[in-house]
Amino acid sequence: MSTPYVITIARSFGSGGKTIGINLSEELGIPCYEDQLLRMASDYSGISEQMFAQVDEKLRGSYITKKLAGFPNINRIAQPTDKKFVSDDNLFNIQAEIIRQLAASESCIIIGKCSNIILKDNPHAISVFIDADMDTCIANVKERLCVNDAEAQKLIEKTDKYRSDYHKYYSGGMEWKDPRGYDLILNSGKLGMDKCAEIIKDLLKIKLG
């Protein structure tokens, strides 16, 4: 494919979505971005990477509190002289600009970051959600973080809650797992990670040729 294409992967915690993205990156020979976006946004703006990490798929304050203030303008980046320069919304907008620049310049995979919404009008982007049953997620988190069942489930519920609130806020109210927000939703617990990667590659061929 001569035109750059992008695969965005949203994922429930413990479903293996990041692993699937990394595997696809190796198979397709294209970069995969997740935490690297925090450093890139910091370099672009001059704001510390730690500040971007504090709002990495999270809302400082509850979704309800944010909603009462009105949904954000996710297109305009505030200037350094603006008091909103280091606000949550501006940090999101800076990161969104990095994602748009990457999508325009190279084929890549982007994990999370509400990238399915940021690139929803990009005809060369495909959006995927990776989900799994709780038992599968618990087993994966236990293996990865060396915690017990209860601790793993607590981490899953907490992480999925803040990812869901973040997506709902920056999408203007769309639920995180709403199928209308994606080209494809896959259950890695039933299919396995390798099969999920194969299906995504098939979708890439079907949608983009």
Side-chain angles (χ1 to χ4, degrees):
M1 300 177 187
S2 56
T3 302
Y5 64 90
V6 184
I7 302 169
T8 72
I9 299 179
R11 71 283 181 234
S12 56
F13 190 56
S15 67
K18 181 177 180 178
T19 300
I20 292 167
I22 292 170
N23 291 345
L24 278 170
S25 169
E26 294 174 353
E27 292 174 19
L28 295 170
I30 61 176
C32 179
Y33 296 103
E34 188 198 26
D35 292 341
Q36 303 94 321
L37 290 166
L38 307 182
R39 176 184 52 78
M40 295 168 76
S42 174
D43 291 345
Y44 177 85
S45 65
I47 299 171
S48 74
E49 185 175 338
Q50 183 179 7
M51 292 199 72
F52 285 98
Q54 290 173 3
V55 295
D56 184 23
E57 297 188 75
K58 305 182 190 76
L59 298 175
R60 287 184 288 195
S62 72
Y63 168 71
I64 297 300
T65 301
K66 290 283 188 182
K67 185 179 178 182
L68 290 174
F71 288 114
N73 179 342
I74 65 169
N75 294 311
R76 188 183 74 85
I77 295 176
Q79 297 302 306
T81 53
D82 192 321
K83 64 181 181 180
K84 294 181 179 180
F85 186 58
V86 293
S87 67
D88 287 18
D89 292 351
N90 199 51
L91 295 176
F92 175 88
N93 285 341
I94 291 167
Q95 192 167 260
E97 178 59 22
I98 297 297
I99 289 171
R100 292 189 192 99
Q101 288 184 11
L102 286 171
S105 63
E106 65 179 6
S107 295
C108 60
I109 297 165
I110 299 175
I111 308 293
K113 310 293 189 278
C114 214
S115 51
N116 63 306
I117 297 299
I118 294 166
L119 299 177
K120 63 183 176 63
D121 295 324
N122 185 324
H124 303 292
I126 66 169
S127 56
V128 181
F129 192 100
I130 306 295
D131 207 353
D133 58 275
M134 182 59 76
D135 287 345
T136 296
C137 292
I138 287 174
N140 289 338
V141 172
K142 283 175 62 180
E143 180 180 357
R144 175 180 159 194
L145 299 179
C146 299
V147 295
N148 62 34
D149 284 35
E151 291 169 331
Q153 182 165 346
K154 186 175 181 180
L155 281 169
I156 291 164
E157 291 172 348
K158 178 181 178 181
T159 304
D160 284 356
K161 175 66 166 60
Y162 71 64
R163 286 178 179 173
S164 176
D165 287 348
Y166 181 90
H167 184 278
K168 191 171 185 178
Y169 178 64
Y170 286 110
S171 67
M174 178 176 283
E175 295 291 343
W176 185 41
K177 296 186 180 183
D178 189 330
R180 293 173 295 180
Y182 305 94
D183 294 306
L184 183 67
I185 296 179
L186 295 171
N187 185 332
S188 61
K190 290 186 176 181
L191 294 168
M193 295 185 195
D194 290 344
K195 183 62 69 175
C196 285
E198 289 299 318
I199 293 171
I200 293 170
K201 287 191 291 185
D202 287 342
L203 173 62
L204 194 63
K205 295 174 184 176
I206 292 167
K207 184 173 180 181
L208 302 182

